[in-house]
Amino acid sequence: MMGDNSSAAAKHQNYHRQVLDFSINVDAQSRAGDSKCFDDDGRLKRTGSVWTASAHIITAVIGSGVLSLAWAVAQLGWIAGPTMMILFSIVTYYTSVLLSECYRSGDPVTGKRNYTYMDAVRSNLGGLQVKICGAIQYANLVGVAIGYTIASAISMVAIKRSNCFHASGGKNPCHINSNPYMIIFGVVEIIFSQIPDFDQIWWLSIVAAVMSFTYSTIGLGLGIAQVAENGKIQGSLTGISVGSTVSELHKIWLSFQAFGAIAFAYSYSLILIEIQDTVKSPPRESKTMKKATLISVAVTTVFYMLCGCFGYAAFGDSSPGNLLTGFGFYNPFWLLDIANAAIVIHLVGAYQVYCQPLFAFVEKTAKDRFPDSKLITRDLQIPLFPGGKPFKLNLFRLVWRSVFVVITTVISMLLPFFNDIVGILGALGFWPLTVYFPVEMYIVQKQIPKWSTKWVCFQVLSAACLVISIAAAVGSFAGVVTDLKVYRPFKTSY
């Protein structure tokens, strides 16, 4: 009897063990299945690669900033101009590598993800610095939207003027108001801004990156052709000459403004974490971003050096603020039209790459504060074509993003000072977002002792970049003050 009870107990225990093993096996299979669709944070599997990240970075970096580099080199000369571009590229690459290490808090493989630049600052620095970072980052994103609206309008006007000039045989000066073209750009951005998330605009980034290479190559080719036609290399070792048109003080302001223009041309750190959050793993996300950053910064620096230097070689002291406008109405004018059209297409994509983090921040904040609001949380399913996946239209997203685009467009119409805006944006964003926060977060992340050799080197780098940013800001604001003396709101023509 005792043996029967013992046998029954053993069978019962064995049955439970089999059930437990089966449930563990099912759970493991379920987790394995989930791991194919979801990442360690429960979100859908990220699919970004070195190449998509590089496309995002190149889209953000080779923007309208490349067009002002010939002008920047003209202010600084053959020695300081190229030197500053190389120094900015080195600093940008180095601090971007530091910033990529801050994507995860703690362990670089399994640590908590920081989805945005502000999340990284919150995890590593916290307190008041988070609010300061947010204010600078989002103000800079708004400024970039304004700068890109102005740049796109200039290019559209250039196309119109070119065709008008050739149609009239050069008899009509073809002065054209830029406001209607800013409005056209704004309408296009309202449409594209309804794309919900950053990872859904990868195709737009690739198109924009191709366009950036297109107009940069055309600008470079025209610069080389102009140098060949001149039969000599224009410019001097010290840049634009002091004389009747440029005083010594004005020369200083222009040189400082050139720093801002170069800084703006390399400005993308403020969206690096957001780009990194689209990258799949393994390998480690920071490893992928280091490769993407190296590829992107190397490629853009080569283009910047070529466009800036050949532009200066072609025009010397008279190098224009926008390189492509410096070629006037030269033949083949259709080539310039293609270049300017490529700029517009590129800026449509770049606008979205820069603004998506701001869009996401506002919408996340709204959902957290009003979780029960159907206006904010409900998506309308709109079929785009029969049998296709419906588009999710959120009413809050539709209203707020449209209002944002309208506001930036109106401000652009009020302040159409391309070079000055570019300089101010570069100055205000470079030190805090590209240098200070990445350096300070890396120090905390890697627990670098205060007053150690490495810590002191980081502080020296940060201080040097702060001085450059202050100088650039002063020069750019001085330029705005000069422009405002002859400015008439909403009546700017080219």
Side-chain angles (χ1 to χ4, degrees):
M1 195 75 174
M2 289 284 292
D4 290 343
N5 287 339
S6 174
S7 176
K11 288 180 180 178
H12 186 70
Q13 187 176 10
N14 187 49
Y15 170 76
H16 275 287
R17 186 180 294 110
Q18 289 175 348
V19 170
L20 180 62
D21 289 343
F22 175 77
S23 64
I24 291 172
N25 187 45
V26 169
D27 186 49
Q29 289 178 355
S30 175
R31 285 199 305 271
D34 284 348
S35 68
K36 294 178 181 178
C37 301
F38 298 95
D39 274 326
D40 55 359
D41 59 346
R43 295 193 176 187
L44 283 174
K45 206 78 169 164
R46 292 159 176 84
T47 58
S49 64
V50 170
W51 302 112
T52 60
S54 298
H56 283 313
I57 295 172
I58 290 171
T59 299
V61 178
I62 303 185
S64 55
V66 69
L67 301 174
S68 63
L69 289 178
W71 177 89
V73 175
Q75 312 314 308
L76 300 171
W78 279 118
I79 297 176
T83 300
M84 289 302 296
M85 279 197 280
I86 292 173
L87 287 176
F88 270 99
S89 69
I90 293 171
V91 170
T92 300
Y93 169 71
Y94 183 67
T95 56
S96 295
V97 169
L98 301 183
L99 183 57
S100 69
E101 292 287 349
C102 302
Y103 173 65
R104 287 185 183 266
S105 298
D107 189 276
V109 178
T110 61
K112 173 183 167 292
R113 294 174 185 264
N114 296 306
Y115 302 118
T116 67
Y117 195 114
M118 276 186 67
D119 286 344
V121 175
R122 186 178 291 108
S123 298
N124 291 284
L125 302 178
L128 181 61
Q129 297 207 56
V130 179
K131 295 180 179 178
I132 294 173
C133 170
I136 295 171
Q137 183 186 14
Y138 296 127
N140 208 267
L141 291 174
V142 173
V144 168
I146 294 168
Y148 282 1
T149 303
I150 296 169
S152 67
I154 291 174
S155 291
M156 285 188 274
V157 167
I159 295 172
K160 181 69 176 177
R161 287 191 69 196
S162 174
N163 295 332
C164 167
F165 184 82
H166 283 86
S168 67
K171 297 176 182 178
N172 188 343
C174 299
H175 292 300
I176 298 170
N177 192 296
S178 63
N179 290 337
Y181 298 95
M182 291 187 189
I183 293 172
I184 292 171
F185 184 80
V187 170
V188 172
E189 290 303 341
I190 286 175
I191 296 170
F192 278 104
S193 67
Q194 299 312 309
I195 299 174
D197 302 311
F198 206 126
D199 59 351
Q200 295 180 30
I201 63 170
W202 61 269
W203 60 272
L204 193 57
S205 282
I206 291 173
V207 171
V210 171
M211 292 298 104
S212 67
F213 283 120
T214 299
Y215 68 73
S216 296
T217 303
I218 292 173
L220 172 61
L222 290 172
I224 294 172
Q226 184 65 36
V227 172
E229 184 180 324
N230 293 341
K232 63 176 182 178
I233 294 175
Q234 304 277 4
S236 63
L237 295 179
T238 57
I240 190 168
S241 304
V242 175
S244 58
T245 56
V246 178
S247 65
E248 289 185 5
L249 181 61
H250 192 203
K251 162 81 172 175
I252 294 172
W253 295 146
L254 291 173
S255 298
F256 288 167
Q257 191 176 335
F259 294 161
I262 297 172
F264 177 77
Y266 280 103
S267 175
Y268 77 94
S269 296
L270 70 170
I271 58 171
L272 183 142
I273 295 292
E274 284 82 352
I275 293 173
Q276 190 166 350
D277 192 45
T278 68
V279 171
K280 63 185 176 184
S281 64
R284 202 168 69 237
E285 298 90 354
S286 59
K287 187 176 181 180
T288 300
M289 282 305 293
K290 286 175 185 177
K291 290 181 181 178
T293 300
L294 179 61
I295 292 169
S296 305
V297 173
V299 169
T300 54
T301 299
V302 170
F303 262 77
Y304 283 179
M305 291 291 288
L306 291 173
C307 290
C309 292
F310 272 105
Y312 182 43
F315 297 105
D317 287 357
S318 60
S319 295
N322 181 331
L323 176 61
L324 290 174
T325 62
F327 297 102
F329 306 117
Y330 290 4
N331 284 314
F333 72 96
W334 55 266
L335 187 60
L336 284 170
D337 288 353
I338 291 174
N340 281 299
I343 291 172
V344 175
I345 295 171
H346 170 255
L347 293 179
V348 168
Y351 187 105
Q352 292 302 317
V353 169
Y354 270 100
C355 291
Q356 282 293 336
L358 176 59
F359 293 160
F361 169 74
V362 171
E363 286 152 25
K364 181 179 181 298
T365 303
K367 285 180 181 179
D368 291 343
R369 292 195 177 184
F370 308 102
D372 299 324
S373 172
K374 290 184 178 180
L375 173 68
I376 295 173
T377 59
R378 183 182 176 188
D379 289 334
L380 301 177
Q381 304 287 337
I382 299 178
L384 297 179
F385 48 87
K389 189 177 180 181
F391 179 76
K392 294 181 180 180
L393 180 65
N394 181 279
L395 292 178
F396 176 70
R397 183 173 69 231
L398 174 64
V399 173
W400 118 255
R401 293 190 183 189
S402 299
V403 169
F404 172 83
V405 174
V406 169
I407 291 173
T408 56
T409 303
V410 171
I411 295 174
S412 302
M413 293 161 68
L414 277 169
L415 297 171
F417 312 134
F418 176 70
N419 274 82
D420 298 328
I421 295 295
V422 162
I424 290 171
L425 292 175
L428 295 181
F430 178 70
W431 176 72
L433 299 175
T434 302
V435 181
Y436 173 76
F437 285 116
V439 164
E440 293 300 317
M441 287 191 290
Y442 185 81
I443 288 172
V444 171
Q445 183 95 334
K446 301 300 181 182
Q447 299 179 344
I448 297 172
K450 199 171 185 179
W451 301 112
S452 64
T453 303
K454 198 169 186 179
W455 184 90
V456 171
C457 290
F458 277 137
Q459 300 307 318
V460 170
L461 171 66
S462 183
C465 292
L466 173 60
V467 171
I468 292 173
S469 287
I470 292 173
V474 171
S476 299
F477 278 113
V480 170
V481 170
T482 302
D483 289 338
L484 286 173
K485 292 177 181 178
V486 294
Y487 166 66
R488 293 182 300 163
F490 297 109
K491 293 184 179 180
T492 299
S493 296
Y494 295 95

